[in-house]
Amino acid sequence: MRWKLVIAMVGLPARGKSTMARKLCRTLELDGVHARIFNNGQLRRQLDPEERTSVAEFFAADNVVGQQLREQIARMSIEMAQAFLANDGQVAILDATNITKKRRQAITRAFQRVPICFVECLNADDEALEANLERKAALPEFQGMSLEKALESFVQRISHYEAIYEPLDDEPNRILVDSFDSCILQEHISEVLPYYDRIRDIITTRVVRNLFLVRHGETFYNLEDRIGGDSSLTEKGQEQAEALAEHFATVRIPIIFTSNHRRTLQTARPIADRQKPCSIIALPEFNEIHAGICEHLTYEEVRQQLPQVARERGPNKYHYIYPKGEGYVSMAERVHRGLKKVFYLNNYDENIMIVGHRAVNRMILSRFLSRQEEEIPYVYMPQDRYYHIRIDPHKRSFELVPYRSAPAAWAGW
Ligand code: F6P
C-alpha cells in the first residue's frame, strides 16, 4: 500500500475539523492526489433523515443505544475508507471527533498497512467558537428548533464530548493545529509519511476558492459625500442590492459576511433571500473606518471646518489616524482578525461573500494583493462592481466584475 495515507481528524465539535478536512481533500485533489472524506456526522444524518439523533441526549456517555449507533457509524466509515484505499484511493480522511483513545486504537487496528496521521483541531478563540456555534445551530440539522434551543442543544452535545475527551498523546503521528490561526502548535511524526510536506503546507495556507468582495449599495450619506455614520440605502442602493441578488442567483453562497452597519446588512439581505439557505454573519471587525471627529461631516465640511485634518491626512492617508477615531494603519489588525473568522466559519465552502465598505474592503483586498501600504487607501472600490478573488496553490486572480450583467466570466465553475 505505497503512497497511501489515512488522515484521522480529532477534536471536540465546532473546532474546525470539517473545514480543515475539506481544505486538505480539495487541495490534494488539485495536486492530482485521489483523496476522499469519510464524515461520520454526514453518515449519521443520512441514516437518520428525521434527525432523531441530533438531540443532545443521543451523545450522552450513558446513552447505550446512542453509543452503539455511533460506534456502528464509525465502523461503517472505516470500512468505506478501507475499500477506497484498497482501490485507487490515495488519501482517506476520517472526519469525526475521534476523541477517545479507544476510537483511535480501533482506527489504528483497522489500517495496519497504511500509515495514519492524527490531526487534532483546537481553537482557543472564544469569540470565534461562539460564532461557529451560532452558525451550526442554524444548520438544517436543527430545523424545527428555535435558534436558542438549537444552541442550547449543541452546547450540551459538546459537554457530553468533553466528558470523555482524551487528547492525543502517544499516537506515533500526530499534529496539533490551531484552526483559527491556521498554524501548527505541535507535531510529532515518527515515520516517513506520504504527502506530509504538502499537508503541512495546506494546513498553514489560506486558500480562497472564490471570494466575492462587494461594497454596499449607495446610501444617503454617499449622495452627500458624507463620512461614516449608519445611513440606509437609497432607492438606487436597494436596486443595486436586488441586482446583486439577481446576479448571484445561480451561484451558491451559504454565508454572507457583513459589518454591523445597516448599509451592508441591507445590501446582503436580498442576496441571502434569493439563496436559501444562506446566513448573514455580521462581524464588527468589518465595520467601516471610524472617522472620529469627522464622522457625519462631508469631505468639503472637513476641509472648511477642520482644515488641519484635511492637510495632514491628504499626503499620509494610510498612517493618518482621525482624532478620536481610526486610520487605515490602526484598522489592519481588526480587519485581519475578521478575515480569520471568515476562513474559520465558512466551512471551506466554494464561494465566500463579504459585503463591506470602501476603506474596509481596501484593507481586505490588500491582504491578497501585494500593494505598497501607501497605495491601499486609493484602491478603486466602486459600488457597481465587485472583486472576484481566487487564490489557490496553483494560481491567483483578481477580477473587477460589473454585476448588472450575467456572471458569465466564471459561470459553470
Ligand atoms: O464615504 C464613504 C466611506 O465609506 C466613509 O465612511 C469612509 O470614511 C470613507 O469612505 C473611506 O474612504 P477614504 O479613506 O478614501 O476617505
Side-chain angles (χ1 to χ4, degrees):
M1 296 275 245
R2 284 184 68 227
W3 303 113
K4 308 251 173 184
L5 177 70
V6 173
I7 299 176
M9 306 305 296
V10 176
L12 291 165
R15 264 47 179 198
K17 295 184 298 299
S18 294
T19 304
M20 186 61 77
R22 289 165 67 142
K23 180 163 131 177
L24 283 164
C25 186
R26 160 84 190 190
T27 317
L28 285 169
E29 291 222 295
L30 280 177
D31 288 347
V33 177
H34 191 19
R36 187 171 298 166
I37 296 174
F38 301 88
N39 179 312
N40 290 12
Q42 210 171 313
L43 196 55
R44 172 176 59 77
R45 287 185 286 275
Q46 271 164 15
L47 295 172
D48 170 30
E50 284 166 32
E51 307 285 5
R52 276 182 306 240
T53 59
S54 295
V55 294
E57 302 79 67
F58 176 74
F59 300 89
D62 57 0
N63 182 337
V64 182
V65 179
Q67 287 281 353
Q68 282 173 350
L69 213 70
R70 274 166 47 219
E71 288 315 312
Q72 192 188 331
I73 288 167
R75 272 197 303 278
M76 285 169 75
S77 263
I78 289 174
E79 279 163 19
M80 288 192 279
Q82 284 170 326
F84 171 72
L85 293 176
N87 286 303
D88 57 352
Q90 291 171 293
V91 177
I93 304 174
L94 301 179
D95 183 11
T97 54
N98 299 326
I99 50 167
T100 60
K101 271 200 142 317
K102 194 167 151 233
R103 170 72 70 76
R104 295 196 291 268
Q105 281 158 359
I107 293 174
T108 307
R109 277 196 305 277
F111 296 97
Q112 294 197 1
R113 294 175 55 223
V114 183
I116 304 170
C117 183
F118 288 98
V119 177
E120 172 157 6
C121 291
L122 294 177
N123 165 27
D125 190 294
D126 288 342
E127 229 181 85
L129 182 62
E130 208 172 298
N132 203 17
L133 294 185
E134 279 174 26
R135 180 186 68 81
K136 294 229 172 205
L139 290 177
E141 177 169 5
F142 296 104
Q143 70 193 15
M145 278 189 210
S146 68
L147 199 63
E148 229 170 49
K149 273 260 163 286
L151 207 54
E152 195 184 300
S153 165
F154 200 69
V155 168
Q156 208 181 341
R157 182 193 299 190
I158 294 177
S159 69
H160 289 316
Y161 275 105
E162 277 166 340
I164 54 165
Y165 172 53
E166 294 167 305
L168 290 175
D169 61 7
D170 57 358
E171 289 76 5
N173 305 312
R174 52 187 193 273
I175 320 178
L176 213 60
V177 175
D178 180 328
S179 46
F180 182 62
D181 270 328
S182 294
C183 65
I184 294 177
L185 300 169
Q186 275 177 33
E187 64 189 316
H188 177 102
I189 302 295
S190 60
E191 62 191 296
V192 177
L193 292 182
Y195 320 108
Y196 189 64
D197 285 353
R198 193 68 181 119
I199 287 168
R200 274 191 109 266
D201 199 30
I202 297 170
I203 288 173
T204 53
T205 307
R206 290 214 167 84
V207 176
V208 176
R209 289 156 76 186
N210 292 297
L211 169 58
F212 305 114
L213 183 62
V214 179
R215 188 177 165 202
H216 61 80
E218 183 193 79
T219 66
F220 291 102
Y221 265 30
N222 290 149
L223 278 182
E224 298 174 16
D225 214 12
R226 232 170 248 290
I227 297 172
D230 193 14
S231 175
S232 288
L233 297 187
T234 59
E235 205 172 303
K236 179 173 168 198
Q238 275 159 13
E239 273 168 22
Q240 286 169 325
E242 294 295 340
L244 278 162
E246 177 69 32
H247 180 85
F248 284 102
T250 56
V251 182
R252 180 75 197 110
I253 299 171
I255 307 177
I256 305 177
F257 296 91
T258 66
S259 73
N260 286 131
H261 296 313
R262 250 178 240 157
R263 52 199 187 272
T264 59
L265 290 160
Q266 288 172 354
T267 306
R269 188 73 269 160
I271 310 172
D273 287 347
R274 284 292 286 268
Q275 292 283 327
K276 296 230 168 81
C278 169
S279 31
I280 295 178
I281 300 184
L283 300 177
E285 286 86 351
F286 290 158
N287 286 352
E288 181 56 317
I289 187 169
H290 191 272
I293 59 169
C294 296
E295 281 282 309
H296 309 290
L297 298 180
T298 65
Y299 284 93
E300 188 48 38
E301 284 166 348
V302 173
R303 261 188 290 278
Q304 284 170 12
Q305 297 168 26
L306 299 162
Q308 78 287 3
V309 171
R311 236 187 351 260
E312 285 173 30
R313 187 170 193 253
N316 190 21
K317 219 169 152 189
Y318 186 82
H319 289 100
Y320 181 81
I321 297 184
Y322 281 107
K324 303 208 174 110
E326 292 180 297
Y328 280 85
V329 64
S330 61
M331 280 165 68
E333 201 185 312
R334 70 162 162 100
V335 172
H336 183 42
R337 187 175 155 71
L339 269 177
K340 281 204 234 172
K341 280 193 182 172
V342 167
F343 287 112
Y344 179 69
L345 296 172
N346 97 307
N347 202 21
Y348 201 62
D349 289 313
E350 179 119 12
N351 305 319
I352 307 177
M353 180 177 281
I354 301 176
V355 181
H357 303 263
R358 180 151 72 180
V360 151
N361 283 12
R362 285 172 175 157
M363 293 303 286
I364 293 173
L365 199 63
S366 74
R367 282 270 147 202
F368 305 107
L369 289 168
S370 36
R371 287 263 190 161
Q372 300 281 333
E373 281 180 349
E374 291 69 31
E375 292 173 21
I376 296 170
Y378 302 98
V379 171
Y380 185 46
M381 200 53 70
Q383 280 167 314
D384 59 351
R385 283 146 216 245
Y386 62 87
Y387 281 93
H388 178 192
I389 304 165
R390 273 180 260 171
I391 298 173
D392 67 36
H394 301 259
K395 70 166 175 263
R396 283 174 159 246
S397 74
F398 304 88
E399 206 183 331
L400 194 54
V401 187
Y403 56 73
R404 293 266 169 206
S405 55
W410 38 273
W413 266 68

